Amino acid sequence: MAAQHSRRVTAGEGRMAYLLLLPTLVLLALVVGFPLVLSAWQSLTQSGGDIDPATGIIKQGDSFVGLQNYADAFSGAGAGAGFWNAFWNTTLFTVVGVSIETVLGVSMALIMARAMRSTGIVRASILVPWAIPTVVSALMWQLIFDANGIFNRVIHYQVLWTTEGWQAKAAVLVADIWKTAPYIGLLTLAGLQTIDDQVYEAATMDGANRWSTFWKITLPLVRPVLVVAVLFRLLDAMRMFDLPYVLLGRLESGQTLSMLASDAASKTNYGLASAYSMILFAYICLVAFVFIRVLGADVIGAQNKPAKRGGRSARAARRLRTTTEGSMA
């Protein structure tokens, strides 16, 4: 009887949970699901304006063309020209930019985690680039990268940063890294502050140096937070639009997939613009899948289960102690 009562209570709680989640699910279906389905359908159509060869009458409305928009995009034919340039630009800005941001962000977090004077001022100053709106940041860097700007004066070399070429890509990377590296730094700092100081004291007593402590204790314990921070930055970088658009305008050297979709939509080629958007959406989903399944990014807090105090920290200390004893032997 007690077991049946327990099952009834559990079933009732499950139904109540679904009822409480129902308004959120309906809202997500309207805000996310409906536009996604509409974009998918739009990518299979072509806007009117073409002349019917049989009648000579201009077609009105949209016509179904199947996967023609995707074929044009991947082949680079006709209106789909420029797709691969935008794709590789997006990939370059994402991989190179986020990699450098991760290194700088972790370095910032390690500096901010150390006990020192004016810690609050240091943290606030590092947060300033992230707090500045992207458009304002892009306009500021546009002035810095001007032919007669500060950057050229510092390096004592004349470079046209906002013209076609590698320098335009470098300008976007520098501006993006300056703005978003503090984001990874602050999230990493939050992870560092959860590590018990006793673990570092034990490592010091075992004879571990700072390098071993970083690789054996700090990095493994901060990894869950760091992986999620990098994942969010990757997804944000893959959708980059405003920074290169304001900094470089419509230069091909700074064109991203988001800019390509916007440009196609401004020409009323909504089918091709939707195809670009769906390709970018699939690309983002692929990256998210790799991070969640392969690298173990905990984006829903599944790993944050109640545990004994110092559980992971104790395991890391034991692992470092074993390594140290082996090297001493």
Side-chain angles (χ1 to χ4, degrees):
M1 294 292 293
Q4 293 178 355
H5 177 71
S6 177
R7 284 195 295 269
R8 285 197 297 269
V9 171
T10 303
E13 292 177 350
R15 286 193 294 269
M16 178 58 67
Y18 282 118
L19 289 176
L20 293 176
L21 289 174
L22 185 60
T24 302
L25 295 177
V26 172
L27 183 62
L28 286 176
L30 293 176
V31 175
V32 178
F34 178 72
L36 183 62
V37 173
L38 186 63
S39 296
W41 169 254
Q42 188 83 47
S43 67
L44 304 177
T45 64
Q46 188 175 26
S47 302
D50 294 338
I51 299 177
D52 189 347
T55 62
I57 300 175
I58 298 178
K59 297 179 181 179
Q60 299 296 327
D62 298 336
S63 56
F64 181 78
V65 295
L67 300 177
Q68 185 61 44
N69 290 323
Y70 294 95
D72 290 343
F74 286 115
S75 65
F83 168 79
W84 288 111
N85 173 66
F87 177 84
W88 292 120
N89 283 342
T90 302
T91 304
L92 175 69
F93 296 152
T94 301
V95 174
V96 177
V98 176
S99 298
I100 298 176
E101 290 166 17
T102 302
V103 175
L104 293 179
V106 172
S107 302
M108 292 178 185
L110 293 174
I111 293 174
M112 290 186 291
R114 296 177 62 87
M116 58 182 182
R117 296 180 180 179
S118 305
T119 303
I121 298 177
V122 173
R123 294 179 182 177
S125 61
I126 290 178
L127 184 62
V128 168
W130 174 254
I132 296 177
T134 305
V135 174
V136 177
S137 175
L139 291 174
M140 180 189 70
W141 280 101
Q142 191 178 56
L143 294 175
I144 294 174
F145 285 126
D146 186 75
N148 298 318
I150 300 174
F151 202 88
N152 284 343
R153 295 183 182 181
V154 171
I155 64 176
H156 301 288
Y157 197 79
Q158 193 75 6
V159 179
L160 301 179
W161 296 98
T162 55
T163 58
E164 292 286 3
W166 63 267
Q167 68 276 7
K169 303 179 190 295
V172 174
L173 285 171
V174 170
D176 185 55
I177 292 169
W178 175 84
K179 177 173 175 55
T180 54
Y183 171 79
I184 295 181
L186 291 173
L187 290 185
T188 306
L189 176 63
L192 289 174
Q193 291 177 338
T194 62
I195 303 176
D196 197 341
D197 292 337
Q198 295 179 358
V199 182
Y200 293 112
E201 295 175 1
T204 303
M205 294 179 64
D206 290 336
N209 54 34
R210 292 185 178 181
W211 189 250
S212 298
T213 302
F214 173 77
W215 283 104
K216 299 296 183 179
I217 291 182
T218 303
L219 197 58
L221 294 182
V222 84
R223 177 181 172 273
V225 176
L226 181 60
V227 170
V228 173
V230 173
L231 172 61
F232 288 166
R233 267 302 302 140
L234 278 174
L235 303 185
D236 190 39
M238 293 175 71
R239 297 180 287 106
M240 186 186 300
F241 173 83
D242 43 3
L243 179 63
Y245 184 82
V246 176
L247 181 60
L248 303 178
R250 298 181 179 273
L251 294 183
E252 292 184 359
S253 298
Q255 192 175 50
T256 62
L257 287 175
S258 296
M259 295 173 61
L260 196 65
S262 175
D263 186 59
S266 66
K267 298 176 181 177
T268 67
N269 196 344
Y270 301 116
L272 187 61
S274 298
Y276 288 145
S277 301
M278 294 305 299
I279 294 172
L280 178 58
F281 174 73
Y283 192 18
I284 291 174
C285 288
L286 177 62
V287 172
F289 175 81
V290 170
F291 257 77
I292 294 174
R293 296 300 299 273
V294 177
L295 299 181
D298 183 24
V299 295
I300 60 175
Q303 298 176 2
N304 296 333
K305 297 179 180 179
K308 295 181 180 179
R309 177 178 176 82
R312 287 191 305 163
S313 300
R315 288 194 297 270
R318 287 195 297 269
R319 185 165 57 249
L320 179 60
R321 186 179 297 110
T322 302
T323 306
T324 305
E325 291 175 352
S327 61
M328 291 177 63

